[in-house]
Amino acid sequence: MSNVFIAFQRNEETRSIVDAILADNPEAVVNMQPAMVRIDAPNTMVIRRSTVEEQMGRPFDLQELHVNLITLTGHIDETEDEFTLSWKH
């Protein structure tokens, strides 16, 4: 089993994104750094637009993830409603 991860700039906007990721991925682990937050998950991580919208209290376009994105690892599968990182083919 290999971990996937995503890292964002650490700021007020990404706090809601991180909270949404943790809500939808109970096995995810957060590593807070002074200027960055990294979330690791075994095999697969799903970021759901609806969960981010719940946390933010406003509409959210998943393309907004890229504004504060630093790096990620895993295969990307992206739709209007979900951004998934995995090692599945």
Side-chain angles (χ1 to χ4, degrees), residues 7 21 23 70 85:
I21 292 170
I70 295 173
L85 294 173

Side-chain angles (χ1 to χ4, degrees), residues 43-75:
N43 287 327
T44 302
M45 178 187 307
V46 178
I47 304 170
R48 291 184 178 88
R49 181 181 50 81
S50 59
T51 309
V52 176
E53 288 177 340
E54 258 178 46
Q55 295 293 325
M56 286 188 162
R58 68 167 179 84
F60 183 78
D61 183 331
L62 283 177
Q63 292 297 308
E64 292 180 60
L65 290 174
H66 300 283
V67 173
N68 293 296
L69 179 67
I70 295 173
T71 189
L72 53 79
T73 187
H75 298 284

Side-chain angles (χ1 to χ4, degrees), residues 11-41:
N11 58 40
E12 196 60 38
E13 186 173 306
T14 58
R15 182 175 308 189
S16 297
I17 296 168
V18 171
D19 290 345
I21 292 170
L22 295 176
D24 287 336
N25 301 274
E27 294 182 352
V29 176
V30 176
N31 181 352
M32 296 285 198
Q33 302 289 323
M36 175 182 93
V37 58
R38 174 179 162 150
I39 305 107
D40 291 86

